[in-house]
Amino acid sequence: MEPDIRTRYEVPRTAEFLRAGGYTRVALQFPDEMLKDAAAVARALRQELASGGGGVRVFVMADTAYNSCCVDEVGASHIDAQCVVHYGHACMSPTSNLPAFFVFGKAPLDVHACARSMLECSRKSNKRILVLYGLEYAYALVDLRRTFEEACKSDSCNPEVQYADVLCSVMSPSSSTTEKSDGHGDLSVNSDLAALNNRCSIECSSSTHKYSLGGVTWNISVQEKMEDYLIFWIGQDNSAFANIVLTFNQCEIVRYDAIENQLSTDVSHLMKVLRRRYYLVEKAKDANIVGILVGTLGVAGYLHIIEQMKELIKAAGKKSYTLVMGRPNSAKLANFPECEVFVYVSCAQTALLDSKDFLAPVITPFEAVLAFSRGREWTGEYLLDFKDLITSEKQEVASATEEARFSFIKGAYMEDSHAEEDMEQSETSLALAEVTEKALSIQNQNSDAILYQGGAISSIDYLKARSYRGLTGEYEGPTPDSVLVGRTGRAAGYNDEKTQSAR
């Protein structure tokens, strides 16, 4: 068992990285499916490090603060770790403060069956083949390429196949995305913001387009488009595959299931997801109160996109509230019924949060840009990585004289409210109380309903429109009766009862 652990979890290579960096406090991050091997991996790594001098303390992190695909810098900071070794599936989002070393694992892959499937696709399609894969299959890429070339020679064919490369296995915190704050806690956008944009999914040079998505990277000529390629995905139908399908929704895509050893060309279920996302965009346009869910505290640039979302929502004449609650679920979000839509800021592979069971829809930052930018139309392009949206441009405040907007959800023309023009909220409690008294109280047509949603432009208005506002000092009911003296004694026989139970 121990030799298999050393090979599968790349213990010697990990120890070499730790020695080269001189790290003495190391956090090992495991997903749930690999947690059973955590103790054996930590023991093997300690033994490997002891042979080179020792002095390294290793800590195992199991329950991540947000998503297991991201480097958990919050958990690592609790033990004052100097770096994180991340095991298993990774989204490869850039870190903010700590260096990270990635061990993707080695999922079993039948390279001969996979090569035959690739050859079958090349016969049916006249397009070039672009091979993308889950990072857990990166170790088998050399054998797959050699096996496919041998199969092509025996079949007397020469299809054009391009293989994506692994982006990196070692990541250092991005100096260009370090967030700085002044004494008042406001975010000051880094002047070198262009350096962050260079890490986006598409980079252009004079002769090639460079794509980076899900931890893999590839180049195509400037004369070519992604629609000219047949994408051959090796891996499971997971969040990484959904990211590929939604981003390149105009491309022909096939998936090779490494577990079942079979091809799948049906991606209609993900196309349905894309149509539902467009519905959520239309629904978000009618919202007045927006909650910004912080789904990461480690991905570089998350503070920039949060500030950008605040400016975007404010420019659209809506009210925003920033919420930090760890992993969101329906019970947590139900505590904020005044929010009519939530914007989820997280890594690209966890951005699509299924909100069918939630009281309010949850959208991505890209969908928020579509919903809250007046006149913006969806062209079919879909972005999941919020780094592609970061900009240093200021949002223009919508004019109150703009014409009404047609709502596809309500089937009528609507005018967007401008809360900032209606009232200026002060930070003092006295001004807040005055605004509460002057807030418009909208009567609910359903007397049995407890909550009212859809007319408030802030949480104060929403609270004012509720039939139950919690325990307050103000009592508007009838005058209470005078205080009466209660009964004394035990329940078996009170003192004022004529007959008491026998003792």
Side-chain angles (χ1 to χ4, degrees), residues 27 29 61 64-67 70-81 83-84 86 93-100 171-174 296-300 302:
Q29 180 179 338
M61 295 192 304
T64 56
Y66 286 95
N67 307 299
C70 303
V71 176
D72 188 7
E73 296 191 64
V74 176
S77 64
H78 292 166
I79 57 174
D80 197 21
C83 76
V84 178
H86 185 282
S93 299
T95 58
S96 298
N97 302 308
L98 294 178
M171 184 177 294
S172 299
S174 175
T296 177
L297 295 177
V299 177
Y302 78 96

Short mmCIF file of all heavy atoms in Angstrom, two decimals, residues 27 29 61 64-67 70-81 83-84 86 93-100 171-174 296-300 302:
data_model
loop_
_atom_site.label_atom_id
_atom_site.label_comp_id
_atom_site.label_asym_id
_atom_site.label_seq_id
_atom_site.Cartn_x
_atom_site.Cartn_y
_atom_site.Cartn_z
N ALA A 27 0.54 22.87 4.65
CA ALA A 27 -0.84 22.41 4.75
C ALA A 27 -1.15 21.48 3.59
O ALA A 27 -0.89 21.83 2.43
CB ALA A 27 -1.80 23.60 4.74
N GLN A 29 -4.09 19.77 1.58
CA GLN A 29 -5.53 19.91 1.36
C GLN A 29 -6.05 18.73 0.55
O GLN A 29 -5.62 18.51 -0.58
CB GLN A 29 -5.82 21.23 0.64
CG GLN A 29 -7.30 21.45 0.36
CD GLN A 29 -7.56 22.76 -0.34
OE1 GLN A 29 -6.75 23.69 -0.28
NE2 GLN A 29 -8.69 22.86 -1.02
N MET A 61 -5.65 19.32 6.03
CA MET A 61 -6.91 20.07 5.99
C MET A 61 -7.95 19.23 5.25
O MET A 61 -7.72 18.81 4.12
CB MET A 61 -6.71 21.41 5.27
CG MET A 61 -5.79 22.37 5.97
SD MET A 61 -5.88 24.03 5.25
CE MET A 61 -5.51 23.69 3.54
N THR A 64 -12.87 22.07 3.71
CA THR A 64 -12.48 23.36 3.16
C THR A 64 -13.53 24.42 3.47
O THR A 64 -14.72 24.12 3.64
CB THR A 64 -12.29 23.27 1.64
OG1 THR A 64 -13.49 22.78 1.05
CG2 THR A 64 -11.14 22.34 1.31
N ALA A 65 -13.08 25.67 3.54
CA ALA A 65 -13.99 26.76 3.88
C ALA A 65 -15.01 27.00 2.78
O ALA A 65 -16.16 27.34 3.06
CB ALA A 65 -13.18 28.04 4.14
N TYR A 66 -14.62 26.82 1.52
CA TYR A 66 -15.54 27.07 0.41
C TYR A 66 -15.61 25.86 -0.51
O TYR A 66 -16.42 24.98 -0.31
CB TYR A 66 -15.12 28.33 -0.36
CG TYR A 66 -15.41 29.60 0.40
CD1 TYR A 66 -14.44 30.21 1.19
CD2 TYR A 66 -16.68 30.18 0.36
CE1 TYR A 66 -14.73 31.37 1.91
CE2 TYR A 66 -16.97 31.33 1.07
CZ TYR A 66 -15.99 31.92 1.84
OH TYR A 66 -16.28 33.05 2.55
N ASN A 67 -14.74 25.77 -1.50
CA ASN A 67 -14.82 24.70 -2.49
C ASN A 67 -13.50 23.94 -2.50
O ASN A 67 -12.43 24.53 -2.43
CB ASN A 67 -15.12 25.27 -3.88
CG ASN A 67 -16.34 26.17 -3.88
OD1 ASN A 67 -17.43 25.72 -3.58
ND2 ASN A 67 -16.15 27.44 -4.22
N CYS A 70 -10.60 24.82 -5.03
CA CYS A 70 -9.78 26.02 -4.82
C CYS A 70 -8.80 25.79 -3.67
O CYS A 70 -9.07 25.00 -2.76
CB CYS A 70 -10.66 27.22 -4.49
SG CYS A 70 -11.90 27.62 -5.74
N VAL A 71 -7.70 26.48 -3.72
CA VAL A 71 -6.73 26.43 -2.62
C VAL A 71 -7.34 27.14 -1.41
O VAL A 71 -7.73 28.31 -1.50
CB VAL A 71 -5.40 27.08 -3.03
CG1 VAL A 71 -4.43 27.11 -1.86
CG2 VAL A 71 -4.79 26.34 -4.21
N ASP A 72 -7.42 26.43 -0.30
CA ASP A 72 -8.06 26.97 0.90
C ASP A 72 -7.05 27.79 1.69
O ASP A 72 -6.43 27.32 2.65
CB ASP A 72 -8.62 25.83 1.75
CG ASP A 72 -9.47 26.33 2.91
OD1 ASP A 72 -9.72 27.55 2.97
OD2 ASP A 72 -9.87 25.51 3.76
N GLU A 73 -6.89 29.04 1.30
CA GLU A 73 -5.95 29.91 2.00
C GLU A 73 -6.47 30.31 3.38
O GLU A 73 -5.68 30.61 4.27
CB GLU A 73 -5.67 31.16 1.16
CG GLU A 73 -5.00 30.87 -0.17
CD GLU A 73 -4.51 32.13 -0.86
OE1 GLU A 73 -3.63 32.82 -0.30
OE2 GLU A 73 -5.02 32.44 -1.95
N VAL A 74 -7.78 30.32 3.56
CA VAL A 74 -8.34 30.66 4.86
C VAL A 74 -7.99 29.59 5.88
O VAL A 74 -7.51 29.88 6.99
CB VAL A 74 -9.87 30.83 4.77
CG1 VAL A 74 -10.47 31.09 6.14
CG2 VAL A 74 -10.22 31.97 3.82
N GLY A 75 -8.21 28.32 5.53
CA GLY A 75 -7.86 27.24 6.44
C GLY A 75 -6.36 27.16 6.69
O GLY A 75 -5.92 26.87 7.80
N ALA A 76 -5.56 27.41 5.65
CA ALA A 76 -4.11 27.36 5.81
C ALA A 76 -3.61 28.47 6.72
O ALA A 76 -2.63 28.29 7.45
CB ALA A 76 -3.44 27.44 4.45
N SER A 77 -4.27 29.62 6.70
CA SER A 77 -3.83 30.72 7.55
C SER A 77 -4.09 30.43 9.03
O SER A 77 -3.42 31.00 9.90
CB SER A 77 -4.55 32.01 7.14
OG SER A 77 -5.95 31.89 7.34
N HIS A 78 -5.04 29.55 9.33
CA HIS A 78 -5.31 29.21 10.73
C HIS A 78 -4.14 28.47 11.38
O HIS A 78 -3.98 28.52 12.61
CB HIS A 78 -6.58 28.35 10.83
CG HIS A 78 -7.82 29.10 10.46
ND1 HIS A 78 -9.02 28.48 10.20
CD2 HIS A 78 -8.04 30.43 10.29
CE1 HIS A 78 -9.93 29.40 9.89
NE2 HIS A 78 -9.36 30.58 9.94
N ILE A 79 -3.36 27.78 10.58
CA ILE A 79 -2.20 27.06 11.12
C ILE A 79 -0.90 27.75 10.73
O ILE A 79 0.18 27.18 10.89
CB ILE A 79 -2.19 25.60 10.62
CG1 ILE A 79 -2.20 25.56 9.09
CG2 ILE A 79 -3.37 24.83 11.19
CD1 ILE A 79 -2.05 24.16 8.52
N ASP A 80 -1.01 28.97 10.20
CA ASP A 80 0.16 29.76 9.82
C ASP A 80 1.03 29.00 8.83
O ASP A 80 2.27 28.96 8.95
CB ASP A 80 0.96 30.14 11.06
CG ASP A 80 1.94 31.28 10.78
OD1 ASP A 80 1.71 32.01 9.79
OD2 ASP A 80 2.92 31.42 11.53
N ALA A 81 0.38 28.38 7.83
CA ALA A 81 1.12 27.60 6.83
C ALA A 81 1.85 28.53 5.86
O ALA A 81 1.39 29.63 5.56
CB ALA A 81 0.17 26.69 6.06
N CYS A 83 2.85 27.29 2.77
CA CYS A 83 2.41 26.89 1.44
C CYS A 83 1.35 25.81 1.59
O CYS A 83 1.17 25.24 2.68
CB CYS A 83 3.58 26.40 0.57
SG CYS A 83 4.15 24.74 0.99
N VAL A 84 0.66 25.52 0.48
CA VAL A 84 -0.41 24.52 0.47
C VAL A 84 -0.11 23.50 -0.62
O VAL A 84 0.23 23.87 -1.75
CB VAL A 84 -1.78 25.18 0.20
CG1 VAL A 84 -2.88 24.12 0.13
CG2 VAL A 84 -2.11 26.21 1.27
N HIS A 86 -2.06 20.93 -2.71
CA HIS A 86 -3.46 20.66 -3.06
C HIS A 86 -3.54 19.33 -3.81
O HIS A 86 -2.88 19.13 -4.83
CB HIS A 86 -4.00 21.79 -3.94
CG HIS A 86 -5.45 21.67 -4.26
ND1 HIS A 86 -5.93 20.80 -5.22
CD2 HIS A 86 -6.55 22.30 -3.74
CE1 HIS A 86 -7.24 20.91 -5.29
NE2 HIS A 86 -7.64 21.81 -4.41
N SER A 93 -7.40 28.25 -10.09
CA SER A 93 -7.57 29.69 -9.92
C SER A 93 -6.35 30.26 -9.21
O SER A 93 -5.84 29.65 -8.26
CB SER A 93 -8.83 29.98 -9.10
OG SER A 93 -9.98 29.50 -9.76
N PRO A 94 -5.85 31.41 -9.64
CA PRO A 94 -4.64 31.98 -9.02
C PRO A 94 -4.87 32.32 -7.56
O PRO A 94 -5.95 32.79 -7.18
CB PRO A 94 -4.36 33.23 -9.86
CG PRO A 94 -5.66 33.56 -10.51
CD PRO A 94 -6.35 32.26 -10.74
N THR A 95 -3.87 32.08 -6.73
CA THR A 95 -3.97 32.34 -5.30
C THR A 95 -3.63 33.80 -5.00
O THR A 95 -3.02 34.49 -5.81
CB THR A 95 -3.03 31.42 -4.53
OG1 THR A 95 -1.68 31.61 -5.00
CG2 THR A 95 -3.42 29.97 -4.73
N SER A 96 -4.00 34.23 -3.79
CA SER A 96 -3.77 35.62 -3.40
C SER A 96 -2.54 35.79 -2.54
O SER A 96 -1.80 36.78 -2.69
CB SER A 96 -4.99 36.15 -2.63
OG SER A 96 -6.14 36.14 -3.44
N ASN A 97 -2.30 34.85 -1.60
CA ASN A 97 -1.24 35.07 -0.62
C ASN A 97 -0.24 33.94 -0.51
O ASN A 97 0.93 34.18 -0.19
CB ASN A 97 -1.87 35.31 0.77
CG ASN A 97 -2.82 36.48 0.79
OD1 ASN A 97 -2.47 37.58 0.37
ND2 ASN A 97 -4.04 36.26 1.25
N LEU A 98 -0.66 32.69 -0.72
CA LEU A 98 0.20 31.54 -0.47
C LEU A 98 0.58 30.83 -1.76
O LEU A 98 -0.25 30.72 -2.67
CB LEU A 98 -0.50 30.55 0.47
CG LEU A 98 -0.77 31.01 1.89
CD1 LEU A 98 -1.52 29.93 2.66
CD2 LEU A 98 0.52 31.36 2.61
N PRO A 99 1.82 30.32 -1.85
CA PRO A 99 2.16 29.45 -2.98
C PRO A 99 1.48 28.10 -2.83
O PRO A 99 1.17 27.65 -1.72
CB PRO A 99 3.69 29.33 -2.88
CG PRO A 99 3.99 29.59 -1.44
CD PRO A 99 2.96 30.56 -0.95
N ALA A 100 1.23 27.45 -3.96
CA ALA A 100 0.52 26.17 -3.95
C ALA A 100 1.22 25.19 -4.88
O ALA A 100 1.73 25.56 -5.93
CB ALA A 100 -0.94 26.36 -4.37
N MET A 171 2.08 27.09 -8.29
CA MET A 171 1.49 28.41 -8.45
C MET A 171 1.97 29.32 -7.33
O MET A 171 1.94 28.95 -6.16
CB MET A 171 -0.04 28.31 -8.42
CG MET A 171 -0.76 29.61 -8.68
SD MET A 171 -2.55 29.37 -8.72
CE MET A 171 -2.71 28.36 -10.20
N SER A 172 2.41 30.51 -7.72
CA SER A 172 2.81 31.53 -6.75
C SER A 172 1.74 32.61 -6.70
O SER A 172 1.06 32.85 -7.70
CB SER A 172 4.16 32.14 -7.15
OG SER A 172 5.17 31.16 -7.18
N PRO A 173 1.58 33.26 -5.55
CA PRO A 173 0.57 34.32 -5.47
C PRO A 173 0.87 35.43 -6.45
O PRO A 173 2.02 35.83 -6.64
CB PRO A 173 0.66 34.79 -4.02
CG PRO A 173 1.98 34.33 -3.53
CD PRO A 173 2.29 33.07 -4.28
N SER A 174 -0.19 35.94 -7.09
CA SER A 174 -0.03 36.96 -8.12
C SER A 174 0.21 38.31 -7.47
O SER A 174 -0.63 38.82 -6.73
CB SER A 174 -1.29 37.01 -9.00
OG SER A 174 -1.20 38.06 -9.92
N THR A 296 -15.54 32.96 -2.31
CA THR A 296 -14.12 32.65 -2.21
C THR A 296 -13.43 33.78 -1.46
O THR A 296 -13.82 34.95 -1.56
CB THR A 296 -13.48 32.48 -3.59
OG1 THR A 296 -12.07 32.24 -3.44
CG2 THR A 296 -13.67 33.71 -4.45
N LEU A 297 -12.41 33.41 -0.70
CA LEU A 297 -11.56 34.39 -0.03
C LEU A 297 -10.10 34.19 -0.40
O LEU A 297 -9.21 34.77 0.23
CB LEU A 297 -11.71 34.30 1.50
CG LEU A 297 -13.08 34.67 2.07
CD1 LEU A 297 -13.11 34.45 3.57
CD2 LEU A 297 -13.44 36.11 1.73
N GLY A 298 -9.87 33.37 -1.43
CA GLY A 298 -8.50 33.07 -1.81
C GLY A 298 -8.18 33.31 -3.26
O GLY A 298 -7.01 33.52 -3.61
N VAL A 299 -9.18 33.27 -4.14
CA VAL A 299 -8.92 33.46 -5.57
C VAL A 299 -8.50 34.91 -5.81
O VAL A 299 -9.18 35.84 -5.37
CB VAL A 299 -10.16 33.11 -6.41
CG1 VAL A 299 -9.91 33.39 -7.88
CG2 VAL A 299 -10.54 31.65 -6.20
N ALA A 300 -7.39 35.08 -6.49
CA ALA A 300 -6.86 36.42 -6.73
C ALA A 300 -7.85 37.25 -7.53
O ALA A 300 -8.43 36.79 -8.51
CB ALA A 300 -5.53 36.33 -7.48
N TYR A 302 -10.69 38.64 -6.25
CA TYR A 302 -12.09 38.56 -5.85
C TYR A 302 -12.59 39.89 -5.26
O TYR A 302 -13.77 40.24 -5.41
CB TYR A 302 -12.30 37.41 -4.86
CG TYR A 302 -11.87 37.69 -3.44
CD1 TYR A 302 -12.78 38.11 -2.48
CD2 TYR A 302 -10.55 37.53 -3.04
CE1 TYR A 302 -12.40 38.36 -1.18
CE2 TYR A 302 -10.15 37.77 -1.75
CZ TYR A 302 -11.07 38.18 -0.82
OH TYR A 302 -10.68 38.44 0.47
#
